[in-house]
Amino acid sequence: MSAPSPQQAATLEVIETARPPRPLIEEVKERSGAEISRCYQCRACGNGCPFVTAMDYTPNQVVRLLQFGMREEVLKCKTIWVCVGCHTCSSQCPMGIDIAAMMDALRLMAVEEGVAIGKPNIIDFHEEVLKSLEKNGRAHKLSIMLGYKRQTGGWFKDVDVGLKMLAKRKLELFPSRVKAVGEITDLFKCYWRESK
Amino acid sequence: MSRAQGIDRMDFSYFPGCSLATTCTESNQSLMQAAKALGFNLIELPDWNCCGSSSAQTMCKNLSLGMAARNLSLAPAGRPLVAMCPRCLHYLRSARECLKADPERRRELEESFGRPINVDIEIIHFLEVLVRYGLDRLSADAKRSLKGLKFVPYYGCTLFRPPRLEKDRYFQGEMENVLKALGAESVPNALSYRCCGSFLSATDPEIVAPLVNEIIDSAAAAKADCLITACAMCQLNLEIRNTRKTRLPIFHFSEILALALGAEDYEKWFVRHIVDPRPVIRKLAKAA
């Protein structure tokens, strides 16, 4: 096809397309080892995922978005946060794509790039866990849950379960702590919250 | 490793992890009882820390690696490191593989801890210890019969699924093998591998409740007396997120194992359960 003449180009509408798919798919592959380009949309992952009803895109749709290079849609979606990494998709994929590893990589990319998080309450929870780990070296469930409730404001949601757990002494009042907690604090120096 | 070698080596480093150390101490206590009965010496890793869990994995890869690596730096060479929590097992093994492949990162971490990190360490689940011990010996050690106990083996999602760890051994079917050797009856046609909801149980219970209900329903439909889990978090989620009237007791694998091996202090584990398992245990005692 010959190039349009200057007059033609002036009248043609320029169509914005998504960025070329290669860089994004390569980046995710490099981070996760998942061979995303192998996917032919059989939807085994979407059908097997126990959490699919809480997602905005099924896992196979996330793969498709990646193949199309639609970075923003992928990094802002709920799906990557609803995924808990149970690996059902990875074990069912006939093409051997480690979809759970792909989700791992996408969550990290969303955090690092500072995009609007599709399901912010989940990142709030992870932050609370990390606060507890930074302070104690171990997870202290009571302070994690209280911190999480403070962040999300759902004080009265789920109170019955919390009380039952307290009554059965499943929520310890005091944390179990690492003695050399300085070694743990040092590890947190790499954490993005500190570097910003 | 040959079985003969396995029998001789009874010393193990032991990584309890946060859940077993706090929320689910009954799992830890019963595991210790079972180990004592079988002559395994589980030596707790001195000053261990959280494996990093899903939260570090989600938020920062270096942090996640560092947390797991510190634990590996605390493990003495010459004996395997045993974990009971499948997620801890997964993150510890992932870190070992990662450090093997990245000597520079390993050197940095060794410098920061002031200790070497043993990347050749064997990291195994407690089920592997039992397999090495041998099922015939195990059934000979039984003090109480589990005859008549119909259980669903509930593995959850992590114990043999993550493909990144394909090189390691998996434990599909081992819980049934062990418990059948002790006289219990496995109910195969229920949801044994369906994910329990993991941390969504804390953040989004409305997503998790229907999943848990489905798991419990499948066990009830299969006429099981109880579910026996390989994972402490699964045990908790299956107990607290079941919103049905049907309530089946959920046991930690180690509790039933220790019970069969003659442990006496099971009452204090069972009072910590949210679904009271004592009727099932009484029925078992009556049948014996």
Side-chain angles (χ1 to χ4, degrees):
Chain A
M1 202 170 81
S2 63
S5 67
Q7 289 91 339
Q8 271 178 317
T11 54
L12 282 178
E13 196 186 341
V14 179
I15 300 168
E16 284 282 336
T17 55
R19 268 187 267 185
R22 216 180 137 66
L24 179 61
I25 212 171
E26 287 297 311
E27 191 182 338
V28 178
K29 186 188 155 182
E30 200 185 294
R31 280 169 165 263
S32 64
E35 298 277 359
I36 298 153
S37 52
R38 284 184 193 162
C39 172
Y40 60 90
Q41 293 292 314
C42 77
R43 306 183 190 193
C45 54
N47 286 333
C49 175
F51 304 100
V52 76
T53 52
M55 293 173 167
D56 46 2
Y57 296 108
T58 60
N60 57 287
Q61 286 173 333
V62 172
V63 172
R64 200 71 178 132
L65 290 173
L66 285 173
Q67 289 175 337
F68 283 144
M70 298 169 81
R71 189 178 200 97
E72 210 179 311
E73 285 81 353
V74 170
L75 296 187
K76 284 184 178 171
C77 77
K78 273 188 192 171
T79 299
I80 59 175
W81 295 99
V82 170
C83 167
V84 303
C86 77
H87 293 92
T88 306
C89 49
S90 307
S91 66
Q92 290 180 347
C93 177
M95 298 306 284
I97 306 170
D98 191 348
I99 300 162
M102 176 195 88
M103 296 288 187
D104 260 353
L106 292 174
R107 282 188 288 269
L108 279 169
M109 286 166 69
V111 170
E112 286 169 13
E113 295 183 20
V115 302
I117 298 298
K119 205 153 175 347
N121 67 321
I122 291 180
I123 209 167
D124 288 344
F125 173 77
H126 290 314
E127 283 278 18
E128 285 305 323
V129 174
L130 290 190
K131 275 186 207 161
S132 177
L133 296 187
E134 191 173 10
K135 202 167 144 203
N136 305 307
R138 296 177 189 167
H140 180 229
K141 292 205 171 109
L142 183 61
S143 59
I144 292 169
M145 286 323 291
L146 290 177
Y148 173 72
K149 297 240 178 258
R150 195 163 49 232
Q151 289 254 355
T152 55
W155 283 105
F156 297 104
K157 198 177 155 190
D158 225 22
V159 166
D160 52 331
V161 167
L163 289 178
K164 263 185 216 158
M165 287 181 68
L166 273 173
K168 296 284 178 182
R169 300 177 189 231
K170 285 189 162 285
L171 288 172
E172 312 231 328
L173 294 180
F174 301 105
S176 165
R177 279 195 93 194
V178 168
K179 285 190 207 91
V181 85
E183 289 183 18
I184 305 290
T185 329
D186 282 349
L187 292 173
F188 272 80
K189 280 180 188 153
C190 68
Y191 185 45
W192 62 278
R193 188 179 57 197
E194 302 299 319
S195 62
K196 267 186 186 169
Chain B
M1 181 192 239
S2 80
R3 213 175 116 193
Q5 266 178 308
I7 290 168
D8 293 335
R9 286 172 52 180
M10 302 290 254
D11 278 356
F12 302 92
S13 293
Y14 169 54
F15 182 82
C18 303
S19 287
L20 269 80
T22 59
T23 328
C24 300
T25 47
E26 67 278 12
S27 174
N28 198 37
Q29 288 163 1
S30 51
L31 178 67
M32 287 303 166
Q33 292 284 321
K36 201 172 113 193
L38 296 169
F40 304 148
N41 188 16
L42 297 184
I43 306 158
E44 190 170 315
L45 212 58
D47 207 32
W48 58 271
N49 58 268
C50 167
C51 68
S53 80
S54 306
S55 298
Q57 173 82 8
T58 299
M59 304 297 283
C60 176
K61 216 163 196 174
N62 282 331
L63 176 62
S64 159
L65 177 63
M67 300 279 293
R70 180 174 178 273
N71 290 313
L72 299 184
S73 80
L74 298 170
R79 55 177 190 245
L81 176 60
V82 173
M84 191 64 186
C85 168
R87 276 276 150 158
C88 299
L89 181 81
H90 176 47
Y91 289 128
L92 293 173
R93 279 181 175 176
S94 302
R96 182 192 59 192
E97 294 314 305
C98 196
L99 293 171
K100 254 189 209 170
D102 189 348
E104 187 160 336
R105 182 85 187 108
R106 178 184 166 194
R107 200 185 41 76
E108 282 169 18
L109 284 165
E110 285 179 336
E111 217 163 86
S112 122
F113 300 139
R115 292 183 293 272
I117 301 172
N118 178 7
V119 292
D120 297 314
I121 191 166
E122 207 184 4
I123 306 173
I124 57 176
H125 190 266
F126 183 71
L127 277 171
E128 172 84 28
V129 179
L130 293 178
V131 172
R132 290 181 190 182
Y133 184 73
L135 292 185
D136 355 329
R137 290 176 76 193
L138 189 69
S139 56
D141 290 332
K143 301 281 188 296
R144 283 195 192 96
S145 170
L146 299 179
K147 201 160 182 296
L149 182 70
K150 289 170 82 175
F151 71 97
V152 170
Y154 184 81
Y155 289 87
C157 67
T158 305
L159 200 49
F160 48 77
R161 221 182 253 150
R164 271 174 288 188
L165 302 178
E166 266 161 5
K167 277 174 265 167
D168 280 291
R169 266 172 247 190
Y170 288 81
F171 306 98
Q172 195 153 13
E174 283 313 337
M175 270 205 298
E176 294 94 304
N177 291 344
V178 168
L179 295 169
K180 281 198 279 196
L182 296 168
E185 187 187 329
S186 162
V187 175
N189 47 345
L191 295 171
S192 289
Y193 313 116
R194 181 68 63 89
C195 175
C196 72
S198 184
F199 59 79
L200 290 179
S201 173
T203 59
D204 297 83
E206 64 285 355
I207 299 177
V208 175
L211 299 176
V212 166
N213 288 344
E214 210 184 343
I215 294 165
I216 306 284
D217 286 351
S218 80
K223 306 250 185 302
D225 298 318
C226 62
L227 290 92
I228 299 181
T229 74
C231 169
M233 187 198 252
C234 296
Q235 195 274 343
L236 184 67
N237 282 354
L238 293 183
E239 280 206 318
I240 64 175
R241 294 300 170 207
N242 175 15
T243 55
R244 290 272 206 275
K245 280 204 184 103
T246 326
R247 315 222 83 189
L248 286 181
I250 322 287
F251 291 104
H252 298 280
F253 169 72
S254 52
E255 289 177 327
I256 296 297
L257 179 67
L259 193 72
L261 293 171
E264 294 299 339
D265 48 355
Y266 52 86
E267 277 284 329
K268 72 175 191 212
W269 318 327
F270 294 155
V271 292
R272 292 174 55 85
H273 284 230
I274 286 170
V275 181
D276 189 0
R278 287 171 291 185
V280 170
I281 299 299
R282 276 196 287 272
K283 198 181 106 190
L284 195 63
K286 218 179 267 175

Short mmCIF file of all heavy atoms in Angstrom, two decimals, chain B residues 22-79:
data_model
loop_
_atom_site.label_atom_id
_atom_site.label_comp_id
_atom_site.label_asym_id
_atom_site.label_seq_id
_atom_site.Cartn_x
_atom_site.Cartn_y
_atom_site.Cartn_z
N THR B 22 -0.07 -18.91 67.05
CA THR B 22 -1.04 -18.07 67.77
C THR B 22 -2.48 -18.58 67.62
O THR B 22 -2.98 -19.28 68.49
CB THR B 22 -0.95 -16.60 67.28
OG1 THR B 22 -1.21 -16.56 65.88
CG2 THR B 22 0.41 -16.01 67.55
N THR B 23 -3.12 -18.23 66.50
CA THR B 23 -4.55 -18.54 66.31
C THR B 23 -4.85 -20.02 66.47
O THR B 23 -5.90 -20.39 66.98
CB THR B 23 -5.00 -18.11 64.90
OG1 THR B 23 -4.26 -16.97 64.52
CG2 THR B 23 -6.47 -17.82 64.85
N CYS B 24 -3.95 -20.85 65.98
CA CYS B 24 -4.22 -22.29 65.96
C CYS B 24 -3.21 -23.05 66.79
O CYS B 24 -2.64 -24.05 66.32
CB CYS B 24 -4.21 -22.79 64.53
SG CYS B 24 -5.44 -21.98 63.52
N THR B 25 -2.98 -22.61 68.02
CA THR B 25 -2.00 -23.33 68.85
C THR B 25 -2.40 -24.78 69.04
O THR B 25 -1.55 -25.62 69.28
CB THR B 25 -1.83 -22.69 70.24
OG1 THR B 25 -3.13 -22.43 70.76
CG2 THR B 25 -1.05 -21.43 70.19
N GLU B 26 -3.72 -25.07 68.94
CA GLU B 26 -4.13 -26.46 69.11
C GLU B 26 -3.48 -27.36 68.04
O GLU B 26 -3.17 -28.52 68.31
CB GLU B 26 -5.66 -26.59 69.10
CG GLU B 26 -6.38 -26.28 67.80
CD GLU B 26 -6.63 -24.80 67.55
OE1 GLU B 26 -6.06 -23.97 68.28
OE2 GLU B 26 -7.38 -24.47 66.62
N SER B 27 -3.25 -26.79 66.88
CA SER B 27 -2.60 -27.56 65.82
C SER B 27 -1.14 -27.82 66.19
O SER B 27 -0.62 -28.93 66.03
CB SER B 27 -2.70 -26.80 64.50
OG SER B 27 -1.97 -27.43 63.51
N ASN B 28 -0.49 -26.79 66.70
CA ASN B 28 0.91 -26.92 67.11
C ASN B 28 1.06 -27.91 68.26
O ASN B 28 1.92 -28.80 68.25
CB ASN B 28 1.42 -25.54 67.52
CG ASN B 28 2.93 -25.47 67.54
OD1 ASN B 28 3.59 -26.08 66.69
ND2 ASN B 28 3.47 -24.77 68.51
N GLN B 29 0.17 -27.76 69.27
CA GLN B 29 0.26 -28.65 70.44
C GLN B 29 0.05 -30.10 70.06
O GLN B 29 0.79 -30.98 70.50
CB GLN B 29 -0.80 -28.24 71.48
CG GLN B 29 -0.48 -26.94 72.19
CD GLN B 29 -1.70 -26.35 72.90
OE1 GLN B 29 -2.79 -26.93 72.86
NE2 GLN B 29 -1.51 -25.20 73.51
N SER B 30 -0.94 -30.34 69.20
CA SER B 30 -1.21 -31.73 68.84
C SER B 30 -0.09 -32.29 67.96
O SER B 30 0.27 -33.46 68.06
CB SER B 30 -2.57 -31.85 68.14
OG SER B 30 -2.69 -30.92 67.10
N LEU B 31 0.48 -31.43 67.13
CA LEU B 31 1.61 -31.87 66.30
C LEU B 31 2.77 -32.32 67.19
O LEU B 31 3.41 -33.35 66.96
CB LEU B 31 2.05 -30.74 65.37
CG LEU B 31 3.25 -31.07 64.48
CD1 LEU B 31 2.90 -32.14 63.46
CD2 LEU B 31 3.75 -29.83 63.77
N MET B 32 3.03 -31.54 68.25
CA MET B 32 4.12 -31.87 69.16
C MET B 32 3.86 -33.21 69.85
O MET B 32 4.77 -34.01 70.04
CB MET B 32 4.29 -30.75 70.20
CG MET B 32 4.92 -29.52 69.62
SD MET B 32 6.51 -29.93 68.88
CE MET B 32 6.86 -28.50 67.93
N GLN B 33 2.59 -33.42 70.23
CA GLN B 33 2.22 -34.68 70.87
C GLN B 33 2.46 -35.86 69.92
O GLN B 33 3.00 -36.89 70.31
CB GLN B 33 0.74 -34.66 71.27
CG GLN B 33 0.42 -33.69 72.37
CD GLN B 33 0.87 -34.24 73.72
OE1 GLN B 33 0.73 -35.44 73.97
NE2 GLN B 33 1.42 -33.39 74.54
N ALA B 34 2.02 -35.69 68.66
CA ALA B 34 2.17 -36.75 67.67
C ALA B 34 3.66 -37.04 67.44
O ALA B 34 4.09 -38.20 67.39
CB ALA B 34 1.49 -36.37 66.37
N ALA B 35 4.44 -35.96 67.31
CA ALA B 35 5.87 -36.13 67.06
C ALA B 35 6.54 -36.86 68.21
O ALA B 35 7.36 -37.76 68.02
CB ALA B 35 6.52 -34.75 66.85
N LYS B 36 6.12 -36.49 69.44
CA LYS B 36 6.70 -37.14 70.63
C LYS B 36 6.39 -38.63 70.62
O LYS B 36 7.28 -39.46 70.85
CB LYS B 36 6.11 -36.47 71.88
CG LYS B 36 6.95 -36.66 73.13
CD LYS B 36 6.41 -35.80 74.26
CE LYS B 36 5.84 -36.69 75.35
NZ LYS B 36 5.04 -35.95 76.33
N ALA B 37 5.13 -38.95 70.30
CA ALA B 37 4.72 -40.36 70.30
C ALA B 37 5.52 -41.17 69.27
O ALA B 37 5.78 -42.36 69.48
CB ALA B 37 3.23 -40.46 70.02
N LEU B 38 5.91 -40.53 68.17
CA LEU B 38 6.60 -41.26 67.12
C LEU B 38 8.13 -41.15 67.24
O LEU B 38 8.86 -41.74 66.44
CB LEU B 38 6.16 -40.73 65.75
CG LEU B 38 4.68 -40.96 65.42
CD1 LEU B 38 4.28 -40.19 64.17
CD2 LEU B 38 4.39 -42.44 65.24
N GLY B 39 8.58 -40.36 68.22
CA GLY B 39 10.02 -40.23 68.41
C GLY B 39 10.68 -39.25 67.46
O GLY B 39 11.89 -39.29 67.26
N PHE B 40 9.90 -38.34 66.84
CA PHE B 40 10.51 -37.31 66.01
C PHE B 40 10.92 -36.16 66.91
O PHE B 40 10.15 -35.72 67.74
CB PHE B 40 9.53 -36.73 64.97
CG PHE B 40 8.90 -37.75 64.06
CD1 PHE B 40 7.62 -37.53 63.58
CD2 PHE B 40 9.59 -38.89 63.68
CE1 PHE B 40 7.03 -38.45 62.73
CE2 PHE B 40 9.00 -39.81 62.84
CZ PHE B 40 7.71 -39.59 62.37
N ASN B 41 12.11 -35.66 66.66
CA ASN B 41 12.58 -34.52 67.43
C ASN B 41 12.41 -33.25 66.59
O ASN B 41 13.24 -32.95 65.74
CB ASN B 41 14.05 -34.77 67.80
CG ASN B 41 14.58 -33.74 68.78
OD1 ASN B 41 13.79 -33.03 69.41
ND2 ASN B 41 15.89 -33.65 68.87
N LEU B 42 11.29 -32.54 66.81
CA LEU B 42 11.04 -31.30 66.05
C LEU B 42 11.65 -30.13 66.81
O LEU B 42 11.14 -29.74 67.86
CB LEU B 42 9.55 -31.06 65.85
CG LEU B 42 8.75 -32.07 65.03
CD1 LEU B 42 7.30 -31.60 64.86
CD2 LEU B 42 9.37 -32.31 63.66
N ILE B 43 12.74 -29.59 66.28
CA ILE B 43 13.45 -28.52 66.98
C ILE B 43 13.04 -27.19 66.37
O ILE B 43 13.34 -26.91 65.20
CB ILE B 43 14.98 -28.72 66.84
CG1 ILE B 43 15.35 -30.12 67.31
CG2 ILE B 43 15.75 -27.65 67.60
CD1 ILE B 43 16.67 -30.64 66.78
N GLU B 44 12.31 -26.39 67.16
CA GLU B 44 11.80 -25.12 66.63
C GLU B 44 12.95 -24.23 66.17
O GLU B 44 13.95 -24.08 66.87
CB GLU B 44 10.96 -24.41 67.69
CG GLU B 44 10.21 -23.22 67.13
CD GLU B 44 9.19 -22.65 68.11
OE1 GLU B 44 8.44 -23.44 68.73
OE2 GLU B 44 9.16 -21.42 68.26
N LEU B 45 12.79 -23.66 64.98
CA LEU B 45 13.79 -22.75 64.42
C LEU B 45 13.94 -21.58 65.39
O LEU B 45 12.96 -20.92 65.70
CB LEU B 45 13.26 -22.25 63.07
CG LEU B 45 14.25 -21.92 61.97
CD1 LEU B 45 15.12 -23.13 61.65
CD2 LEU B 45 13.50 -21.46 60.74
N PRO B 46 15.17 -21.31 65.89
CA PRO B 46 15.31 -20.25 66.90
C PRO B 46 14.98 -18.87 66.32
O PRO B 46 15.49 -18.52 65.25
CB PRO B 46 16.79 -20.34 67.30
CG PRO B 46 17.46 -21.01 66.14
CD PRO B 46 16.46 -21.92 65.53
N ASP B 47 14.11 -18.14 66.98
CA ASP B 47 13.76 -16.77 66.62
C ASP B 47 13.25 -16.62 65.17
O ASP B 47 13.53 -15.64 64.49
CB ASP B 47 14.96 -15.82 66.84
CG ASP B 47 14.51 -14.39 67.11
OD1 ASP B 47 13.43 -14.22 67.71
OD2 ASP B 47 15.21 -13.45 66.71
N TRP B 48 12.48 -17.60 64.73
CA TRP B 48 11.92 -17.56 63.37
C TRP B 48 11.01 -16.35 63.20
O TRP B 48 10.50 -15.80 64.18
CB TRP B 48 11.14 -18.85 63.08
CG TRP B 48 10.02 -19.10 64.05
CD1 TRP B 48 10.11 -19.80 65.23
CD2 TRP B 48 8.66 -18.64 63.97
NE1 TRP B 48 8.89 -19.79 65.87
CE2 TRP B 48 7.99 -19.10 65.12
CE3 TRP B 48 7.95 -17.89 63.03
CZ2 TRP B 48 6.63 -18.83 65.37
CZ3 TRP B 48 6.60 -17.62 63.26
CH2 TRP B 48 5.97 -18.10 64.42
N ASN B 49 10.81 -15.95 61.95
CA ASN B 49 9.86 -14.87 61.67
C ASN B 49 8.82 -15.35 60.65
O ASN B 49 8.96 -16.43 60.09
CB ASN B 49 10.58 -13.62 61.15
CG ASN B 49 11.40 -13.90 59.90
OD1 ASN B 49 12.59 -14.23 59.99
ND2 ASN B 49 10.77 -13.81 58.74
N CYS B 50 7.82 -14.50 60.43
CA CYS B 50 6.77 -14.82 59.45
C CYS B 50 7.41 -15.11 58.09
O CYS B 50 8.38 -14.47 57.70
CB CYS B 50 5.80 -13.65 59.34
SG CYS B 50 4.67 -13.74 57.93
N CYS B 51 6.87 -16.08 57.38
CA CYS B 51 7.42 -16.47 56.07
C CYS B 51 7.27 -15.37 55.03
O CYS B 51 7.80 -15.48 53.93
CB CYS B 51 6.74 -17.74 55.58
SG CYS B 51 4.99 -17.49 55.16
N GLY B 52 6.53 -14.33 55.36
CA GLY B 52 6.27 -13.25 54.39
C GLY B 52 4.81 -13.23 54.00
O GLY B 52 4.23 -12.18 53.79
N SER B 53 4.24 -14.41 53.89
CA SER B 53 2.82 -14.59 53.59
C SER B 53 2.39 -13.87 52.32
O SER B 53 3.18 -13.24 51.64
CB SER B 53 1.94 -14.17 54.78
OG SER B 53 1.79 -12.78 54.82
N SER B 54 1.12 -13.97 52.00
CA SER B 54 0.60 -13.38 50.76
C SER B 54 0.81 -11.87 50.74
O SER B 54 0.96 -11.28 49.68
CB SER B 54 -0.89 -13.65 50.63
OG SER B 54 -1.15 -15.01 50.74
N SER B 55 0.82 -11.24 51.91
CA SER B 55 0.89 -9.78 51.94
C SER B 55 2.24 -9.27 51.46
O SER B 55 2.30 -8.35 50.65
CB SER B 55 0.60 -9.27 53.35
OG SER B 55 -0.71 -9.64 53.71
N ALA B 56 3.34 -9.86 51.94
CA ALA B 56 4.65 -9.42 51.45
C ALA B 56 4.80 -9.78 49.99
O ALA B 56 5.32 -9.00 49.19
CB ALA B 56 5.76 -10.05 52.29
N GLN B 57 4.32 -10.96 49.63
CA GLN B 57 4.38 -11.41 48.24
C GLN B 57 3.67 -10.42 47.31
O GLN B 57 4.11 -10.14 46.21
CB GLN B 57 3.73 -12.80 48.16
CG GLN B 57 3.55 -13.36 46.79
CD GLN B 57 4.82 -14.03 46.27
OE1 GLN B 57 5.78 -14.19 46.99
NE2 GLN B 57 4.80 -14.39 45.01
N THR B 58 2.56 -9.87 47.81
CA THR B 58 1.77 -8.94 47.00
C THR B 58 2.43 -7.57 46.89
O THR B 58 2.39 -6.95 45.84
CB THR B 58 0.37 -8.76 47.62
OG1 THR B 58 -0.26 -10.03 47.62
CG2 THR B 58 -0.47 -7.79 46.84
N MET B 59 3.01 -7.11 47.99
CA MET B 59 3.41 -5.71 48.04
C MET B 59 4.86 -5.46 47.64
O MET B 59 5.19 -4.37 47.19
CB MET B 59 3.17 -5.15 49.44
CG MET B 59 1.74 -5.30 49.93
SD MET B 59 0.55 -4.40 48.94
CE MET B 59 0.83 -2.75 49.53
N CYS B 60 5.75 -6.42 47.86
CA CYS B 60 7.16 -6.16 47.57
C CYS B 60 7.91 -7.48 47.48
O CYS B 60 7.99 -8.23 48.46
CB CYS B 60 7.77 -5.28 48.66
SG CYS B 60 9.52 -4.99 48.48
N LYS B 61 8.45 -7.74 46.32
CA LYS B 61 9.10 -9.03 46.09
C LYS B 61 10.36 -9.19 46.94
O LYS B 61 10.63 -10.27 47.46
CB LYS B 61 9.46 -9.17 44.61
CG LYS B 61 9.29 -10.59 44.15
CD LYS B 61 9.23 -10.70 42.66
CE LYS B 61 8.66 -12.08 42.33
NZ LYS B 61 8.43 -12.26 40.92
N ASN B 62 11.14 -8.11 47.08
CA ASN B 62 12.37 -8.21 47.85
C ASN B 62 12.09 -8.47 49.32
O ASN B 62 12.80 -9.22 49.98
CB ASN B 62 13.17 -6.90 47.74
CG ASN B 62 13.90 -6.83 46.43
OD1 ASN B 62 14.26 -7.86 45.86
ND2 ASN B 62 14.10 -5.63 45.94
N LEU B 63 11.04 -7.84 49.81
CA LEU B 63 10.66 -8.03 51.21
C LEU B 63 10.24 -9.48 51.43
O LEU B 63 10.67 -10.14 52.39
CB LEU B 63 9.51 -7.09 51.56
CG LEU B 63 8.94 -7.23 52.96
CD1 LEU B 63 10.00 -6.92 53.99
CD2 LEU B 63 7.73 -6.32 53.15
N SER B 64 9.43 -9.98 50.52
CA SER B 64 8.94 -11.34 50.62
C SER B 64 10.11 -12.34 50.62
O SER B 64 10.19 -13.25 51.46
CB SER B 64 7.99 -11.57 49.44
OG SER B 64 7.82 -12.89 49.15
N LEU B 65 11.05 -12.11 49.71
CA LEU B 65 12.23 -12.99 49.64
C LEU B 65 13.06 -12.87 50.92
O LEU B 65 13.49 -13.87 51.49
CB LEU B 65 13.06 -12.62 48.41
CG LEU B 65 14.36 -13.38 48.22
CD1 LEU B 65 14.09 -14.86 48.02
CD2 LEU B 65 15.15 -12.83 47.04
N GLY B 66 13.25 -11.63 51.38
CA GLY B 66 14.08 -11.41 52.57
C GLY B 66 13.50 -12.07 53.82
O GLY B 66 14.23 -12.66 54.61
N MET B 67 12.18 -11.96 53.99
CA MET B 67 11.53 -12.56 55.16
C MET B 67 11.75 -14.07 55.18
O MET B 67 12.12 -14.66 56.19
CB MET B 67 10.02 -12.29 55.17
CG MET B 67 9.59 -10.84 55.21
SD MET B 67 9.60 -10.05 56.83
CE MET B 67 8.35 -10.84 57.74
N ALA B 68 11.50 -14.71 54.03
CA ALA B 68 11.68 -16.16 53.97
C ALA B 68 13.15 -16.52 54.12
O ALA B 68 13.51 -17.48 54.80
CB ALA B 68 11.11 -16.70 52.66
N ALA B 69 14.03 -15.71 53.49
CA ALA B 69 15.47 -16.01 53.52
C ALA B 69 16.02 -15.96 54.94
O ALA B 69 16.90 -16.75 55.30
CB ALA B 69 16.21 -15.02 52.63
N ARG B 70 15.52 -15.03 55.77
CA ARG B 70 16.02 -14.96 57.15
C ARG B 70 15.76 -16.29 57.86
O ARG B 70 16.63 -16.78 58.59
CB ARG B 70 15.36 -13.81 57.91
CG ARG B 70 15.87 -13.72 59.34
CD ARG B 70 15.36 -12.53 60.12
NE ARG B 70 15.88 -12.58 61.49
CZ ARG B 70 15.27 -13.23 62.48
NH1 ARG B 70 14.14 -13.87 62.26
NH2 ARG B 70 15.81 -13.23 63.70
N ASN B 71 14.61 -16.87 57.62
CA ASN B 71 14.33 -18.17 58.23
C ASN B 71 15.31 -19.24 57.76
O ASN B 71 15.77 -20.06 58.54
CB ASN B 71 12.89 -18.60 57.93
CG ASN B 71 11.88 -17.75 58.68
OD1 ASN B 71 12.04 -17.52 59.88
ND2 ASN B 71 10.88 -17.27 57.98
N LEU B 72 15.61 -19.21 56.45
CA LEU B 72 16.56 -20.20 55.94
C LEU B 72 17.95 -19.99 56.57
O LEU B 72 18.67 -20.95 56.82
CB LEU B 72 16.67 -20.11 54.41
CG LEU B 72 15.37 -20.36 53.63
CD1 LEU B 72 15.65 -20.34 52.12
CD2 LEU B 72 14.75 -21.70 54.02
N SER B 73 18.29 -18.73 56.87
CA SER B 73 19.60 -18.46 57.47
C SER B 73 19.67 -18.96 58.91
O SER B 73 20.75 -19.09 59.47
CB SER B 73 19.90 -16.96 57.42
OG SER B 73 19.24 -16.29 58.48
N LEU B 74 18.52 -19.21 59.50
CA LEU B 74 18.50 -19.68 60.90
C LEU B 74 18.51 -21.21 60.99
O LEU B 74 18.66 -21.76 62.08
CB LEU B 74 17.23 -19.16 61.60
CG LEU B 74 17.10 -17.64 61.72
CD1 LEU B 74 15.70 -17.27 62.20
CD2 LEU B 74 18.16 -17.07 62.66
N ALA B 75 18.33 -21.86 59.85
CA ALA B 75 18.22 -23.33 59.87
C ALA B 75 19.60 -23.97 59.77
O ALA B 75 20.33 -23.73 58.81
CB ALA B 75 17.33 -23.78 58.72
N PRO B 76 19.97 -24.76 60.78
CA PRO B 76 21.28 -25.41 60.71
C PRO B 76 21.33 -26.46 59.60
O PRO B 76 20.31 -27.07 59.27
CB PRO B 76 21.41 -26.07 62.09
CG PRO B 76 20.04 -26.13 62.65
CD PRO B 76 19.22 -25.09 61.98
N ALA B 77 22.51 -26.62 59.03
CA ALA B 77 22.68 -27.62 57.98
C ALA B 77 22.57 -29.01 58.61
O ALA B 77 22.68 -29.16 59.82
CB ALA B 77 24.03 -27.44 57.31
N GLY B 78 22.33 -29.99 57.78
CA GLY B 78 22.39 -31.37 58.26
C GLY B 78 21.06 -31.95 58.70
O GLY B 78 20.97 -33.12 59.01
N ARG B 79 20.03 -31.12 58.79
CA ARG B 79 18.72 -31.72 59.04
C ARG B 79 17.65 -30.96 58.26
O ARG B 79 17.75 -29.76 58.04
CB ARG B 79 18.40 -31.77 60.52
CG ARG B 79 18.49 -30.46 61.25
CD ARG B 79 18.08 -30.65 62.71
NE ARG B 79 17.92 -29.38 63.37
CZ ARG B 79 18.69 -28.96 64.37
NH1 ARG B 79 19.68 -29.69 64.82
NH2 ARG B 79 18.47 -27.79 64.94
#
